[in-house]
Amino acid sequence: MNTSTNRRIAVVGLGAMGGAMAATLHRAGWDVTGFDPSEAARAAAADTGIATTAALGDLAGTPYAVLSLPDASIVETTVPQLLAEPGTVAIIDTTTSEPATSKQMADLAEAQGAAFVDAPVSGGRDGAASGSLSAFVGATAVALSAAEPVLLALTGGKYSHIGGPGSGNVVKLLNNVLAAANLVSVGEALGVAQAYGIDPAKAAASISEASGGSFVSANMYPNWVLTGTHDSGFSLGLMARDAALAVDVAVQIGESPTLLAAVAGRWQDALALLGPRADFTEIARTVAPAITPAGAPRTNGPVDGTTAVA
């Protein structure tokens, strides 16, 4: 497999997460070139001192590449273009993708002497900006070794090698569907507290110190729901997709997770009401609208990619 001490790296996808990861790599001394089809995203990256290109083909053969893309289908079209020229050492895919796609891309890269690892991340914009993300890594041992310098820069060593190619995707999808379930259950619980005349913020703080507590109750609800800001930077459309994908992956291997399937259905209902661009924490508006200043969504609002505002 290719090896390199070259610090040149491509970042493909300069949205909220990709742009922050590109900036982190730039500060860590990597020679970063970013690509995004959006001129605005490229301009935002350029403002932080990152070189950009409007043509993905310009990045072919770059020793290292980080992908931060919307879905598996774009991963499938991107990786062959990066491998079109010799020189690639490792491609680190932080996309919440599909395990079958990651297995195919890992085989494609290996055939050309390169590494491909699925390394979907958790930690949001703040983690991406500070180099403190968590990553769920699926890779062979050889591929992991090739990708490790980049993983260390993005996570500070806070990554878990789950298993072979595709396994990182599986565990990330399970993580997200569990978070999706918790967002619903905590919202319903705090709605009950409010109905009893209890301050939901106090209820959330108390629960967070006990056995029912979680990151959702301790952070997401106090910071984004109860304040009404709903500005996590992660969309409801992406969370609804991830919950559905988690159930699909389970079904493909003969499992029938009934509770998780019900959760995925709840997110599809919210998606129909709020649209894919709503913040994912706005699920609370459909679960317990009384606890968020944004209130319940309009039932007759637009759902074609815009957020219905109460």
Side-chain angles (χ1 to χ4, degrees):
M1 185 166 285
N2 294 338
T3 60
S4 176
T5 57
N6 195 310
R7 301 278 285 180
R8 288 192 302 120
I9 189 165
V11 176
V12 182
L14 297 171
M17 291 294 291
M21 286 189 284
T24 290
L25 291 164
H26 177 65
R27 288 194 304 273
W30 290 80
D31 180 5
V32 182
T33 303
F35 166 78
D36 196 289
S38 164
E39 183 177 353
R42 295 195 304 272
D47 286 344
T48 68
I50 295 167
T52 66
T53 178
L56 178 59
D58 291 344
L59 302 178
T62 304
Y64 297 94
V66 170
L67 310 185
S68 181
L69 300 171
D71 57 48
S73 65
I74 302 177
V75 173
E76 291 175 359
T77 60
T78 298
V79 171
Q81 294 182 71
L82 295 174
L83 294 171
E85 298 290 340
T88 301
V89 175
I91 297 172
I92 297 87
D93 183 19
T94 69
T95 308
T96 301
S97 185
E98 300 180 30
T101 293
S102 291
K103 290 178 183 177
Q104 292 167 3
M105 296 303 101
D107 288 344
L108 178 64
E110 185 177 15
Q112 299 191 37
F116 176 96
V117 306
D118 48 290
V121 293
S122 180
R125 292 173 304 188
D126 291 344
S130 62
S132 59
L133 291 166
S134 298
F136 307 88
V137 181
T140 65
V142 172
L144 176 62
S145 178
E148 191 168 35
V150 180
L151 290 169
L152 288 173
L154 295 176
T155 71
K158 196 169 58 173
Y159 65 85
S160 298
H161 184 199
I162 306 299
S167 60
N169 296 139
V170 172
V171 175
K172 175 60 189 303
L173 289 171
L174 293 174
N175 173 81
N176 281 17
V177 74
L178 287 172
N182 204 211
L183 276 154
V184 172
S185 61
V186 170
E188 289 185 346
L190 296 184
V192 172
Q194 171 120 328
Y196 264 91
I198 299 168
D199 181 350
K202 289 184 177 179
S206 297
I207 290 169
S208 295
E209 295 296 326
S211 59
S214 66
F215 184 79
V216 170
S217 66
N219 292 278
M220 292 185 184
Y221 270 83
N223 294 335
W224 295 321
V225 176
L226 301 180
T227 62
T229 58
H230 299 295
D231 60 352
S232 73
F234 188 63
S235 75
L236 192 148
L238 289 177
M239 184 58 104
R241 176 207 65 181
D242 292 351
L245 275 176
V247 174
D248 287 345
V249 166
V251 170
Q252 289 168 17
I253 58 170
E255 293 295 311
S256 301
T258 54
L259 177 57
L260 298 184
V263 167
R266 193 70 177 267
W267 280 80
Q268 291 300 317
D269 293 342
L271 181 63
L273 285 171
L274 290 161
R277 296 181 187 175
D279 192 87
F280 84 114
T281 62
E282 291 190 68
I283 184 74
R285 297 177 61 198
T286 70
V287 172
I291 70 171
T292 174
R298 293 199 309 261
T299 57
N300 59 348
V303 294
D304 56 348
T306 60
T307 302
V309 179

